Amino acid sequence: MSDSGASRLRRQLESGGFEARLYVKQLSQQSDGDRDLQEHRQRVQALAEETAQNLKRNVYQNYRQFIETAREISYLESEMYQLSHLLTEQKSSLESIPLALLPAAAAGAAAGEDAAGAGARDRRRGQAGFLPGPAGAPRDSPSAGEEGKQRTLTTLLEKVEGCRHLLETPGQYLVYNGDLVEYEADHMVQLQRVHGFLMNDCLLVATWLPQRRGMYRYNALYQLEDLAVVNVKDNPPMKDMFKLLMFPESRIFQAENAKIKREWLEVLEETKRALSEKTRREQEEAAAARGPPQVTGKASNPFEDDDDEEPAVPEVEEEKVDLSVEWVQELPEDLDVCIAQRDFEGAVDLLDKLNHYLEDKPSSPPVKELRARVDERVRQLTEVLVFELSPDRSLRGGPKATRRAVSQLIRLGQCTKACELFLRNRAAAVHTAIRQLRIEGATLLYIHKLCHVFFTSLLETAREFETDFAGTDSGCYSAFVVWARSAMGMFVDAFSKQVFDSKESLSTAAECVKVAKEHCQQLGEIGLDLTFIIHALLVKDIQGALHSYKEIIIEATKHRNSEEMWRRMNLMTPEALSKLKEEMRSCGVSNFEQYTGDDCWVNLSYTVVAFTKQTMGFLEEALKLYFPELHMVLLESLVEIILVAVQHVDYSLRCEQDPEKKAFIRQNASFLYETVLPVVEKRFEEGVGKPAKQLQDLRNTSRLMRVNPESTTSVV
């Protein structure tokens, strides 16, 4: 298609008044035949593919630009927040310098500037939700403090239900308040609207009362000394959020906009710093008041000497841990970003880096606080990885799809949980694969598919398990063996339901079991032998099948015996005789030629020949099913089947009076004792690997020893 034709077609399709129905109608009228329509269809399809490629390219470019822009904004916000933090610290340091050390003029100018700054800050905070003090009263005057405190408590009592216990704390006053929206920490689902009241020593969270406008109900109260504030980086749809950590729980709140969020972060940090400074001063004053007794006590301690006290200063210096490193300060937020972006490897790398950095470091209060904040992220990361391995997730991709989550759980020290979740995930995958198999009409075809799906999945799971858990605790391998036995039980349930519950023939059941054994032996490539498990799980079903088929043979033999006329077989055609000779040869009867007569006659009765073929067929199929647990079952079944024929021949010899028929019966008995029973013994010994004493005893005790021609009885 030429460029001009493509451009013309594109403009026609992009026109505002384009109608598909009218366009197709005109095209059909103008075309000469099917070939023109096919060519035009190819042109439209090529144009569609080109448009799709352009669209994908544009989306990809926009997506990359969006990611880069978001990253730059995140870096800029982090730098601005650090700059604000540094300016706040500088201001605090300057304000802490005693005014008495400065010249009077400088002190007056500084006081004027502070008053102007305080007024501007009060105006800004008043708009954001601060409760101002009495009008006209200086902020630091005693009357303003008392009236502000009373006003704060009165307002709380009027607007918040259930906070009367705040009256019990003297010197408490309101610093900041505002509306927030709380989100669920794990899945970022909006929970409820709340209102926060920041006191000089605590944070009160109250929930909205929808029925009473402007009223709240008490929800929680957190002491500032036990509270950690974390800035949550904007990562749409997570915007204008910050997190409060109260070990061992955490809560996430969203401010109305970025400005309100920044004010919350600043005022929380300022209030915490003021509270910490106040507590430190009180402790210093208390220590100064207790100074003389403590010095006297130390001097009078006979178990301490001056030499031991000298190295105390270096020990205090060694306990300091530098947590002001940029990556350490940003680590909790970076972990939040990694979890949100599903960068599990990056999150675990950060945790390993922190653990290596804090290795052999003392557990000072700042380190414990950092550990608490990081442990919360570790819990969230673990929950996300657990969800990745849950059976509710997509099971496509095979065992390798779980490697990412499993490896990170192992790195987090959750080896046992990773093993449990991996095996549970693979069990669900195997169960789903078996359920999705179509049940074909031919049982053997279904069993081939079932064995291929199950044992291939088991082999892949075993190889992936060995790859993921190499070098871990050996207990995981024991768990895998237990899981493999459970999975084999699932397979045997589906196998037995299709093979044994549907009453298939013994030959079909033997072929199916043979296929299952061959697939099971493939697991030996990785050193896993589950043959004994499949034997143990199938033994009852195979016993039932052998017993059922034995009863069928016995009933058929008894039915033929009841109609026995003791006549020679006439096969009518040479082809039929040749076929019978071939069948007897396949059964192991090599001397069958001596029992054939002229033309198509066979010097044996139909009952004995049919019994021979059926017994040898049963033995061949049973040997395919054989394993040691079935030895006695198979042997007893053979003995019962043979006894039916032997007892019938014995009874016929004793009861028959016609000499010719008696001779014919004796010939059939000789065929049974001297030909059929030895073949059965030999084939059983070849299939099992050891002789069967019961069959030997049966042949020796039942063999026709001597027949008295003048007597109507025979000695058996």
Side-chain angles (χ1 to χ4, degrees), residues 380-436:
Q380 295 178 10
L381 177 60
T382 303
E383 291 178 356
V384 174
L385 292 174
V386 168
F387 178 71
E388 287 292 315
L389 292 173
S390 65
D392 298 334
R393 299 282 290 172
S394 176
L395 298 175
R396 297 180 181 179
K400 292 183 179 179
T402 63
R403 181 180 298 177
R404 185 183 179 206
V406 168
S407 60
Q408 302 313 313
L409 276 176
I410 293 175
R411 291 179 62 189
L412 289 173
Q414 302 283 344
C415 182
T416 303
K417 181 176 291 186
C419 176
E420 177 186 355
L421 293 171
F422 172 78
L423 295 178
R424 190 183 303 169
N425 179 280
R426 297 313 305 155
V430 172
H431 180 67
T432 302
I434 292 176
R435 287 185 58 186
Q436 290 177 349

Side-chain angles (χ1 to χ4, degrees), residues 345-385:
E345 294 83 358
V348 180
D349 289 341
L350 287 174
L351 292 172
D352 289 344
K353 184 178 180 181
L354 177 66
N355 291 332
H356 181 71
Y357 181 74
L358 296 179
E359 188 178 5
D360 300 331
K361 298 290 193 307
S363 297
S364 59
V367 173
K368 291 181 179 179
E369 182 179 352
L370 178 63
R371 288 283 191 186
R373 296 166 61 188
V374 171
D375 289 344
E376 177 64 22
R377 271 70 173 189
V378 172
R379 184 188 65 80
Q380 295 178 10
L381 177 60
T382 303
E383 291 178 356
V384 174
L385 292 174

Side-chain angles (χ1 to χ4, degrees), residues 42-60:
Q42 292 177 1
R43 289 197 296 269
V44 174
Q45 187 173 0
L47 182 61
E49 293 177 355
E50 181 183 355
T51 305
Q53 291 296 331
N54 293 334
L55 182 61
K56 289 181 180 178
R57 193 178 300 111
N58 292 335
V59 169
Y60 178 70

Side-chain angles (χ1 to χ4, degrees), residues 284-510:
E284 290 178 354
E285 293 175 358
R290 297 194 304 267
Q294 291 180 349
V295 173
T296 304
K298 283 190 176 182
S300 61
N301 191 347
F303 299 101
E304 295 183 359
D305 50 20
D306 295 338
D307 296 336
D308 296 334
E309 293 177 359
E310 290 297 327
V313 175
E315 289 181 0
V316 173
E317 293 296 330
E318 291 179 357
E319 290 181 358
K320 292 182 180 179
V321 182
D322 185 13
L323 299 181
S324 61
V325 185
E326 182 178 357
W327 70 268
V328 174
Q329 292 182 347
E330 295 182 354
L331 187 134
E333 300 174 10
D334 291 340
L335 287 175
D336 289 335
V337 173
C338 289
I339 295 172
Q341 295 180 348
R342 301 172 60 80
D343 183 12
F344 307 136
E345 294 83 358
V348 180
D349 289 341
L350 287 174
L351 292 172
D352 289 344
K353 184 178 180 181
L354 177 66
N355 291 332
H356 181 71
Y357 181 74
L358 296 179
E359 188 178 5
D360 300 331
K361 298 290 193 307
S363 297
S364 59
V367 173
K368 291 181 179 179
E369 182 179 352
L370 178 63
R371 288 283 191 186
R373 296 166 61 188
V374 171
D375 289 344
E376 177 64 22
R377 271 70 173 189
V378 172
R379 184 188 65 80
Q380 295 178 10
L381 177 60
T382 303
E383 291 178 356
V384 174
L385 292 174
V386 168
F387 178 71
E388 287 292 315
L389 292 173
S390 65
D392 298 334
R393 299 282 290 172
S394 176
L395 298 175
R396 297 180 181 179
K400 292 183 179 179
T402 63
R403 181 180 298 177
R404 185 183 179 206
V406 168
S407 60
Q408 302 313 313
L409 276 176
I410 293 175
R411 291 179 62 189
L412 289 173
Q414 302 283 344
C415 182
T416 303
K417 181 176 291 186
C419 176
E420 177 186 355
L421 293 171
F422 172 78
L423 295 178
R424 190 183 303 169
N425 179 280
R426 297 313 305 155
V430 172
H431 180 67
T432 302
I434 292 176
R435 287 185 58 186
Q436 290 177 349
L437 274 179
R438 293 179 57 187
I439 300 179
E440 305 287 349
T443 301
L444 189 58
L445 178 60
Y446 172 79
I447 294 302
H448 272 288
K449 292 183 178 180
L450 176 65
C451 292
H452 175 73
V453 168
F454 174 76
F455 286 102
T456 301
S457 299
L458 195 62
L459 190 61
E460 291 177 352
T461 301
R463 287 172 176 166
E464 184 63 25
F465 186 90
E466 190 173 9
T467 300
D468 292 345
F469 294 92
T472 59
D473 186 9
S474 58
C476 293
Y477 289 89
S478 302
F480 176 78
V481 174
V482 173
W483 174 85
R485 191 190 187 288
S486 175
M488 188 66 74
M490 187 191 313
F491 164 77
V492 169
D493 288 342
F495 181 92
S496 299
K497 188 178 296 183
Q498 189 68 17
V499 175
F500 297 107
D501 294 353
S502 58
K503 304 298 181 183
E504 293 288 342
S505 64
L506 190 64
S507 59
T508 302

